[in-house]
Amino acid sequence: MKLIDTFQDEHVLIDQVLGSFRTYIDGLVGGTADPDDGKRFVAFFTEFAGHFHHDREERVFFDALVTDAELPGDRGPVHALAREHAEMEEWLCELTPFLEQGPQSEDDRVRLRALATRYSHALWRHIDAENSVLYLEGAERLARNGIRELPDRPMREAEAAAREDGAALLVRYPPMEDVALTRGEGCFMCRAHGETCGGLEAEWWTELEWEEFFMR
């Protein structure tokens, strides 16, 4: 599915800019990064990751899973990942004043680091959950219902500008890898698993799929 391939390509950039963002935070707290670049990171995550990427996931892909594949929208993977979109948007709003104005005190610097870590960890794990579970399983279930492609839309001007800024920020602040975060594939690695989602098998599998599983 071309749209899924596009989403995954966008994930690569978002993943990299998250690493660049964490490098920037270290520099901002240490007084070596340009405070004006904070606004550019906010624009990237708001316009490109949020208004463009997450919006299309919800309005096109998630909607098709519920409408065409008849999967639940009020529980399970679709509900959990849409809820994470909203949660991360709220966390970005908490970060924004520190990034637009810069940390003014030691307490601000401590708070900024904590918020940036929480946001980046959540989005990195969200990307892993979508890449390894939702996209693959969702596309398969849509195909079973005769849906092999979904519509897309071009980037709006602000979204395209934010994407370009993100690419430029990657050069200015080489991405770091957070060794404190364990990443991986599968439902059991998703932070929603066991809390707001029972996992793919519990939420999506049909009786036939369970029968086939036990017959292997």
Side-chain angles (χ1 to χ4, degrees):
M1 185 176 286
K2 184 178 179 181
L3 182 63
I4 299 301
D5 292 341
T6 300
F7 284 160
Q8 290 176 323
D9 288 343
E10 291 165 5
H11 273 175
V12 172
L13 178 61
I14 295 169
D15 193 312
Q16 292 174 335
V17 175
L18 276 172
S20 180
F21 174 62
R22 291 291 302 281
T23 299
Y24 172 74
I25 293 298
D26 287 344
L28 185 62
V29 169
T32 60
D34 185 348
D36 288 339
D37 284 335
K39 299 175 183 178
R40 298 184 178 92
F41 277 108
V42 170
F44 175 83
F45 291 119
T46 300
E47 294 293 340
F48 182 75
H51 295 167
F52 184 59
H53 179 77
H54 291 164
D55 181 71
R56 286 154 54 244
E57 282 183 330
E58 291 185 18
R59 292 179 183 273
V60 180
F61 186 52
F62 290 10
D63 182 70
L65 292 176
V66 174
T67 302
D68 298 309
E70 298 183 347
L71 295 168
D74 59 349
R75 59 179 174 79
V78 172
H79 174 72
L81 293 171
R83 180 176 176 177
E84 287 186 5
H85 286 172
E87 185 177 56
M88 290 185 291
E89 183 178 358
E90 291 178 2
W91 291 350
L92 182 60
C93 287
E94 287 186 60
L95 267 166
T96 297
F98 295 101
L99 294 171
E100 292 185 341
Q101 301 167 19
Q104 305 298 310
S105 66
E106 182 59 27
D107 285 346
D108 282 355
R109 287 186 279 274
V110 170
R111 180 63 173 159
L112 174 58
R113 279 191 186 277
L115 291 173
T117 299
R118 179 179 67 172
Y119 178 77
S120 60
H121 281 193
L123 187 46
W124 268 323
R125 292 181 67 184
H126 180 88
I127 287 171
D128 291 345
E130 289 186 333
N131 281 346
S132 68
V133 178
L134 188 73
Y135 289 169
L136 298 176
E137 297 292 337
E140 179 182 334
R141 279 160 171 74
L142 285 172
R144 292 179 194 173
N145 288 273
I147 307 296
R148 289 179 171 77
E149 195 51 80
L150 292 169
D152 202 356
R153 69 166 176 84
M155 281 182 279
R156 301 185 180 100
E157 185 176 349
E159 296 162 349
R163 185 192 185 286
E164 292 305 310
D165 274 349
L169 289 165
L170 281 176
V171 176
R172 191 170 303 176
Y173 305 101
M176 60 90 80
E177 182 177 348
D178 191 337
V179 297
L181 175 67
T182 301
R183 302 183 63 179
E185 300 181 347
C187 283
F188 73 99
M189 291 297 296
C190 177
R191 65 192 184 95
H193 188 249
E195 295 185 13
T196 59
C197 179
L200 177 73
E201 294 87 355
E203 303 285 0
W204 279 12
W205 275 21
T206 64
E207 291 183 6
L208 179 59
E209 285 174 297
W210 278 110
E211 288 177 7
E212 292 176 345
F213 173 77
F214 286 118
M215 289 176 63
R216 289 174 188 171

